[in-house]
């Protein structure tokens, strides 16, 4: 909190910040600015002209972006522009997102470049009718998967269904029957609370040669806060086959996972 402005700018320009998510960067920047610049006009000036460019709004969650729009610390015109740009980026196809990031990496801007987040960004499509449902896409790079061996796990950002926060986690774990390592995928509910939620869920992954999503596991579960459920060996193969050069599941070095959640009536 005591760092000067130049120090904060230097830290925030790094792609390798070990942070949970870009939401955490935004929260930190606001807290720092409020501490250092108690007067609103000064704070708006420093956020708008110096610090906003270091926050990677396209990687923030939509829930947090809504809060940016109503945040008094930003000039309204500035926050609208930033949020609009972020939403357009989120709506782009992945190959367009990659080319925008590549174009930008040649400049001093880093807005479209993903940091090394602890929680992996997801794409979410939500439906209210005819049933409350969400479809979540999680992409993992080959090296991220390789780093899970022998017992690592990686978590997605939170997404919401029926007002309740959920997350996905990918694990390298031991298959209990055959005692080899394998790739597992799990679905967890965030807040520990008294709510219980009956959810139908389905995990799928893109696979060669068609490169279409193929269903890998279906289940249903009644969640109570803080519980997780899933499948220890999603692809029913050992880790070495999953990670092999000719693996069916890595397409241009990316593992494409999809989870579909529906609230049961």
């Amino acid at each position: 909190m005591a760092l000067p402005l130049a120090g904060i700018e230097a830290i925030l320009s790094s792609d390798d910040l070990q942070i949970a998510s870009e939401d955490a960067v935004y929260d930190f920047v606001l807290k720092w600015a409020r501490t250092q610049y108690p007067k609103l006009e000064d704070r708006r000036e420093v956020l708008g002209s110096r610090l906003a460019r270091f926050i990677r709004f396209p990687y923030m969650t939509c829930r947090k972006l809504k809060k940016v729009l109503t945040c008094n610390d930003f000039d309204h015109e500035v926050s609208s522009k930033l949020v609009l740009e972020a939403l357009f980026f989120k709506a782009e196809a992945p190959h367009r997102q990659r080319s925008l990031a590549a174009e930008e990496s040649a400049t001093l801007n880093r807005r479209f470049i993903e940091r090394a987040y602890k929680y992996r960004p997801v794409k979410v499509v939500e439906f209210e009718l005819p049933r409350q449902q969400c479809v979540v896409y999680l992409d993992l790079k080959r090296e991220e998967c390789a780093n899970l061996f022998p017992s690592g796990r990686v978590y997605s950002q939170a997404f919401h269904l029926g007002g309740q926060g959920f997350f996905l986690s990918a694990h390298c774990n031991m298959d209990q029957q055959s005692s080899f390592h394998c790739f597992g995928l799990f679905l967890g509910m965030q807040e520990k609370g008294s709510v219980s939620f009956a959810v139908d869920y389905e995990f799928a992954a893109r696979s060669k040669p068609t490169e279409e999503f193929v269903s890998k596991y279906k289940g249903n579960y009644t969640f109570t806060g803080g519980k997780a459920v899933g499948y220890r060996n999603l692809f029913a193969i050992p880790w070495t086959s999953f990670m092999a050069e000719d693996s069916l599941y890595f397409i241009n070095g990316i593992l494409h996972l999809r989870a579909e959640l529906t609230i049961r009536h």
Side-chain angles (χ1 to χ4, degrees):
M1 280 296 145
L3 275 174
L5 179 59
I8 294 294
E9 288 178 324
I11 288 172
L12 296 182
S13 61
S14 165
D15 296 343
D16 301 312
L17 278 186
Q18 297 298 301
I19 42 158
S21 66
E22 198 64 29
D23 290 7
V25 174
Y26 170 81
D27 289 339
F28 168 77
V29 168
L30 267 193
K31 193 173 169 190
W32 180 88
R34 286 168 180 166
T35 307
Q36 298 285 343
Y37 300 90
K39 280 179 69 181
L40 182 62
E41 301 81 70
D42 300 346
R43 190 157 69 244
R44 276 189 169 180
E45 168 58 31
V46 86
L47 283 169
S49 65
R50 298 284 295 271
L51 287 175
R53 73 180 80 152
F54 292 105
I55 301 171
R56 302 183 187 185
F57 291 93
Y59 292 99
M60 285 167 58
T61 60
C62 289
R63 277 181 101 107
K64 188 63 89 173
L65 288 172
K66 275 184 189 158
K67 292 190 173 146
V68 177
L69 283 179
T70 55
C71 175
N72 201 24
D73 301 62
F74 283 90
D75 183 70
H76 185 65
E77 209 170 291
V78 172
S79 58
S80 305
K81 188 167 163 286
L82 290 165
V83 170
L84 204 58
E85 179 188 65
L87 292 173
F88 275 122
F89 180 84
K90 282 180 181 295
E92 290 283 11
H95 70 93
R96 277 288 300 140
Q97 293 179 340
R98 284 195 290 276
S99 67
L100 283 167
E103 282 162 30
E104 205 184 52
S105 61
T107 69
L108 287 174
N109 277 332
R110 315 294 288 162
R111 288 190 309 276
F112 298 136
I113 294 169
E114 203 177 305
R115 301 189 209 257
Y117 300 117
K118 183 178 166 196
Y119 299 118
R120 307 301 304 139
V122 284
K123 267 199 159 174
V124 185
V125 186
E126 295 180 41
F127 301 94
E128 282 295 319
L129 296 165
R131 306 172 70 187
Q132 277 194 313
Q133 186 179 35
C134 69
V135 185
V136 185
Y137 296 90
L138 170 65
D139 290 354
L140 297 175
K141 298 187 187 84
R142 185 185 272 274
E143 55 270 27
E144 288 178 304
C145 292
N147 290 339
L148 294 176
F149 187 84
S151 59
R153 56 186 63 183
V154 60
Y155 293 94
S156 79
Q157 283 182 351
F159 49 90
H160 292 81
L161 178 66
Q164 191 62 47
F166 289 89
F167 61 88
L168 291 172
S169 61
H171 300 220
C172 173
N173 45 57
M174 291 293 270
D175 182 293
Q176 282 157 328
Q177 273 123 16
S178 45
S179 74
F180 52 63
H181 288 90
C182 52
F183 180 88
L185 187 63
F186 294 84
L187 169 68
M189 187 164 108
Q190 271 190 317
E191 298 81 28
K192 295 175 174 44
S194 51
V195 244
S196 78
F197 253 76
V199 174
D200 289 326
Y201 63 94
E202 179 178 5
F203 294 153
R206 282 193 196 278
S207 99
K208 295 174 187 166
T210 62
E211 303 189 345
E212 288 168 8
F213 277 105
V214 177
S215 174
K216 288 292 166 193
Y217 186 66
K218 281 183 177 179
N220 50 61
Y221 189 69
T222 301
F223 283 91
T224 49
K227 282 277 188 346
V229 63
Y231 204 53
R232 289 180 71 85
N233 187 356
L234 188 68
F235 301 115
I237 53 175
W239 184 263
T240 42
S241 313
F242 164 64
M243 287 303 299
E245 273 306 304
D246 60 354
S247 171
L248 298 181
Y249 300 106
F250 288 97
I251 297 166
N252 301 324
I254 305 280
L255 171 68
H256 300 270
L257 300 168
R258 184 184 74 194
E260 211 168 292
L261 282 65
T262 311
I263 292 182
R264 295 168 73 191
H265 291 312

